[in-house]
């Protein structure tokens, strides 16, 4: 198709039927990554129950770039018409400027038209009738496999599981342009991953986090609670150079218990590096440190990282730990230090998050992003629970429900200023979500709904 054709600049996105709360956050992050902003109107009028969203982009190239990086977008279409009825859809189609559509209707252009109902199975004869009723004069030949142009007539009958009405709530007609990155979820699925643990993050959410962190070629990404490195795999896939730290020596050195039920012992080559090798991403691996991320003086240079992307410990399976001494008076002589295994003390969840924000405020470059999960007990959650820092601006805060009462929130922040060496600025939490009881205690309350005790099993269930 000639590049000189002017497009109508209206596009239709069809999202996958999951992670509804994250759709516009991911879209906005990607639009921003590629140097554009979405019109607020586009997002305000979005019915979150519907997988369809009409948006405007400056060019087809830009629209394809954004959709081609998204894990939540299923498909992108150039929108020719939409309406709440077929009369409206067809009326608008009739009035489309000829210069916009003529190139695709020409004799030398093969085409196909696909009709799909969302939340309703359509009868073949109805589909054919709807195609025949379209007021478009296709002169080319129908070709079902790899046509020049693929058109889609999409009908929305409400959310999956709802009783569908006789007529659709909305209908759309568009020219298919691209699919999102849904197939990456299968390509990077944890089932086929060399090194996994109980809390490995599923491939889709890891990609989503990398998108929220706007990771791209040559960016430097750090995960201070790296575990098996699932987040780094996604970031490396997007071209970021990756490094991490974890306090668990046994996990990082493949000496701990395996998490696959059919595996007795970990293989000696299980490591984050091996995971990257598995996907041909070794060139993006920097290193992993066995280190306590609460000890920040390890890092000498500030403004080091482009993105900090992490899933801190929630303390569900066991309480989070950091290095320290219960008895502050105890000290070690120089001789004692040799071969000494440092004592671990409990690491309060609120402290983990405050430390994380302080770390990000110092070690992110200006405009760098911090992306992390914040676990919440839904009945007690309020926005004031999310930690703040004067150098970090909240970009988005999206919920993923795990059970009826437990969720985790994906928080994205952007560094807006650097330390000027004046007053000390620290992270704070207006209302401490974990003050009265730890998340673990709340999670295991007797009246809670049937739990999925392992994070990973909860997470893997959402993987498509
Ligand atoms: C939820 S898991 C992260 C899982 C990881 N995203 C993955 O894909 O495997 C949290 C990790 O934080 C580590 N951790 C706990 N306390 C720590 C600390 N003080 N410093 C560094 N790592 C810590 C745990 O060993 C665990 O591997």
């Amino acid at each position: 198709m000639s590049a000189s054709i002017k497009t109508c600049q209206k596009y239709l996105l069809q999202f996958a039927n999951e992670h509804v709360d994250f759709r516009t956050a991911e879209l906005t992050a990607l639009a921003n990554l590629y140097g554009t902003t979405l019109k607020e109107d586009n997002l305000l009028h979005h019915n979150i129950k519907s997988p369809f969203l009409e948006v405007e982009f400056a060019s087809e190239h830009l629209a394809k770039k954004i959709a081609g990086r998204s894990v939540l977008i299923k498909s992108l279409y150039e929108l020719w018409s939409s309406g709440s009825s077929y009369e409206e859809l067809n009326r608008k189609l009739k009035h489309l400027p000829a210069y916009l559509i003529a190139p695709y209707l020409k004799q030398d252009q093969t085409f196909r038209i696909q009709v799909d109902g969302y939340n309703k199975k359509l009868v073949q004869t109805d589909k054919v009738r709807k195609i025949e009723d379209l007021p478009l004069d296709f002169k080319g030949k129908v070709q079902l496999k790899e046509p020049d142009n693929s058109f889609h007539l999409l009908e929305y009958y409400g959310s999956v599981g709802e009783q569908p009405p006789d007529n659709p709530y909305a209908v759309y007609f568009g020219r298919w342009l691209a699919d999102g990155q849904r197939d990456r979820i299968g390509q990077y699925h944890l089932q086929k991953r060399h090194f996994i643990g109980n809390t490995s993050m599923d491939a889709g959410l890891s990609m989503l986090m990398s998108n929220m962190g706007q990771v791209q070629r040559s960016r430097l990404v750090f995960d201070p609670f790296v575990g098996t490195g699932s987040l780094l795999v996604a970031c490396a896939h997007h071209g970021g150079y990756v490094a991490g730290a974890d306090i668990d020596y046994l996990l990082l050195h493949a000496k701990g218990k395996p998490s696959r039920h059919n595996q007795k012992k970990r293989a000696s080559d299980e490591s984050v590096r091996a995971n990257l090798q598995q996907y041909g991403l070794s060139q993006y691996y920097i290193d992993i440190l066995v280190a306590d991320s609460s000890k920040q003086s390890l890092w000498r240079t500030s403004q080091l990282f482009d993105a900090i992307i992490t899933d801190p410990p929630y303390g569900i399976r066991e309480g989070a730990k950091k290095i320290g001494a219960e008895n502050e008076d105890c000290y070690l002589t120089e001789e004692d230090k040799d071969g000494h295994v440092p004592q671990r003390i409990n690491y309060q969840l609120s402290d983990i998050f405050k430390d994380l924000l302080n770390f990000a405020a110092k070690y992110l470059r200006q405009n760098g992003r911090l992306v992390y999960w914040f676990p919440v007990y839904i009945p007690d959650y309020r926005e004031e629970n999310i930690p703040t820092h004067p150098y970090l601006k909240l970009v988005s805060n999206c919920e993923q429900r795990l059970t009826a009462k437990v969720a985790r929130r994906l928080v994205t922040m952007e560094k807006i200023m650097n330390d000027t060496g004046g007053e000390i600025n620290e992270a704070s939490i207006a209302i401490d979500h974990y003050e009265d009881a730890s998340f673990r205690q709340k999670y295991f309350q007797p009246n809670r709904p049937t739990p999925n005790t392992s994070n990973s099993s909860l997470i893997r269930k959402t993987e498509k």
Side-chain angles (χ1 to χ4, degrees):
M1 198 55 47
S2 147
S4 64
I5 292 166
K6 205 164 169 266
T7 64
C8 59
Q9 300 184 348
K10 258 214 149 182
Y11 299 89
L12 178 72
L13 301 175
Q14 179 170 8
F15 289 101
N17 191 23
E18 63 167 359
H19 304 314
V20 171
D21 201 34
F22 299 77
R23 287 174 181 167
T24 54
E26 191 205 34
L27 182 62
T28 309
L30 293 178
N32 189 246
L33 173 65
Y34 295 122
T36 186
T37 43
L38 290 163
K39 272 196 183 168
E40 235 170 56
D41 266 15
N42 288 163
L43 304 181
L44 286 179
H45 295 142
H46 177 44
N47 162 14
I48 60 157
K49 285 167 94 188
S50 165
F52 300 107
L53 176 67
E54 293 182 33
V55 277
E56 282 165 46
F57 293 117
S59 69
E60 183 175 312
H61 176 70
L62 182 65
K64 281 181 172 170
K65 259 175 107 170
I66 292 171
R69 169 83 195 243
S70 164
V71 271
L72 298 184
I73 294 173
K74 238 175 108 179
S75 300
L76 163 76
Y77 307 92
E78 179 186 67
L79 186 62
W80 282 25
S81 178
S82 64
S84 52
S85 65
Y86 268 96
E87 291 81 68
E88 188 184 347
L89 179 98
N90 287 340
R91 183 166 21 89
K92 286 189 192 163
L93 270 180
K94 255 189 220 161
H95 292 104
L96 273 180
Y99 74 91
L100 281 182
I101 59 171
Y104 307 101
L105 308 180
K106 285 195 313 199
Q107 201 172 6
D108 64 348
Q109 294 289 300
T110 57
F111 76 98
R112 75 168 168 211
I113 303 176
Q114 197 172 313
V115 188
D116 283 309
Y118 184 84
N119 192 35
K120 189 169 186 172
K121 216 171 172 344
L122 305 178
V123 184
Q124 188 58 22
T125 47
D126 283 347
K127 289 187 184 181
V128 172
R129 182 180 46 79
K130 284 167 183 169
I131 293 173
E132 285 171 354
D133 286 349
L134 288 169
L136 293 168
D137 186 15
F138 290 98
K139 296 195 171 66
K141 276 201 184 122
V142 172
Q143 184 174 303
L144 297 183
K145 264 196 178 167
E146 297 182 15
D148 293 322
N149 304 299
S150 182
F151 295 94
H152 291 246
L153 189 51
L154 302 160
E155 302 183 339
Y156 173 61
Y157 288 91
S159 302
V160 172
E162 271 177 21
Q163 176 65 27
D166 290 340
N167 296 311
Y169 294 118
V171 271
Y172 305 90
F173 184 81
R175 181 172 66 93
W176 175 86
L177 294 179
D179 285 335
Q181 290 283 297
R182 306 286 303 157
D183 49 355
R184 300 288 181 206
I185 299 174
Q187 184 192 341
Y188 285 95
H189 202 286
L190 290 178
Q191 270 168 3
K192 294 171 262 167
R193 179 84 47 90
H194 189 60
F195 174 42
I196 59 160
N198 291 327
T199 55
S200 294
M201 183 66 63
D202 79 52
L205 287 173
S206 300
M207 293 273 172
L208 176 74
M209 289 175 79
S210 173
N211 283 345
M212 293 307 301
Q214 300 183 323
V215 175
Q216 60 177 335
R217 188 160 281 282
S218 305
R219 296 280 162 96
L220 182 55
V221 185
F222 183 67
D223 180 351
F225 302 100
V226 73
T228 58
S230 335
L231 306 180
L232 299 190
V233 168
C235 296
H237 168 78
H238 291 135
Y241 290 105
V242 297
D246 201 288
I247 200 169
D248 192 339
Y249 173 91
L250 294 178
L251 176 79
L252 294 183
H253 287 88
K255 292 184 193 303
K257 269 196 193 159
S259 50
R260 287 193 165 96
H261 64 274
N262 56 355
Q263 191 184 352
K264 290 211 171 72
K265 228 179 131 214
R266 282 207 183 270
S268 58
D269 65 343
E270 285 187 42
S271 65
V272 176
R273 184 197 281 268
N275 279 349
L276 287 155
Q277 259 161 6
Q278 179 183 353
Y279 302 110
L281 298 170
S282 311
Q283 67 272 34
Y284 298 111
Y285 179 84
I286 296 181
D287 215 341
I288 304 294
L289 301 170
V290 180
D292 176 355
S293 286
S294 71
K295 307 280 178 276
Q296 308 190 351
S297 49
L298 179 73
W299 303 93
R300 297 204 182 147
T301 317
S302 58
Q303 300 181 57
L304 196 57
F305 305 115
D306 295 295
I308 295 171
I309 300 190
T310 196
D311 181 24
Y314 312 159
I316 290 182
R317 311 197 104 224
E318 58 168 312
K321 299 283 180 201
K322 63 177 176 177
I323 308 288
E326 294 292 1
N327 178 0
E328 290 298 328
D329 297 335
C330 100
Y331 66 92
L332 292 169
T333 61
E334 282 308 312
E335 301 95 79
D336 287 341
K337 278 183 187 161
D338 217 16
H340 169 74
V341 177
Q343 191 181 352
R344 289 181 183 193
I345 57 169
N346 286 337
Y347 195 4
Q348 295 305 323
L349 271 185
S350 315
D351 291 337
I352 294 181
F353 293 106
K354 280 193 272 185
D355 287 349
L356 179 63
L357 264 68
N358 286 331
F359 181 72
K362 186 162 181 199
Y363 294 102
L364 275 179
R365 62 149 170 91
Q366 180 101 1
N367 300 326
R369 284 191 163 200
L370 166 67
V371 182
Y372 69 94
W373 289 102
F374 184 86
V376 298
Y377 182 66
I378 298 165
D380 293 352
Y381 170 72
R382 32 216 301 205
E383 256 176 61
E384 293 87 339
N385 297 147
I386 301 296
T388 57
H389 191 290
Y391 298 169
L392 301 169
K393 175 183 86 176
L394 182 69
V395 174
S396 64
N397 168 9
C398 310
E399 182 192 80
Q400 183 200 17
R401 282 208 173 209
L402 300 177
T403 68
K405 288 197 176 165
V406 175
R408 54 183 179 178
R409 308 198 64 96
L410 186 64
V411 179
T412 302
M413 307 186 96
E414 194 164 301
K415 182 161 169 187
I416 46 172
M417 59 191 278
N418 283 312
D419 196 353
T420 46
E423 57 195 271
I424 301 168
N425 281 303
E426 296 271 336
S428 60
I429 297 179
I431 301 173
D432 189 347
H433 189 65
Y434 313 108
E435 195 176 27
D436 50 344
S438 72
F439 182 63
R440 176 188 167 88
Q441 283 165 309
K442 286 178 178 174
Y443 188 85
F444 287 113
Q445 270 182 6
N447 64 354
R448 76 193 157 82
T450 321
N452 265 315
T453 47
S454 124
N455 279 347
S456 54
S457 67
L458 285 168
I459 298 160
R460 269 179 231 153
K461 274 189 191 154
T462 67
E463 220 170 82
K464 293 267 147 66

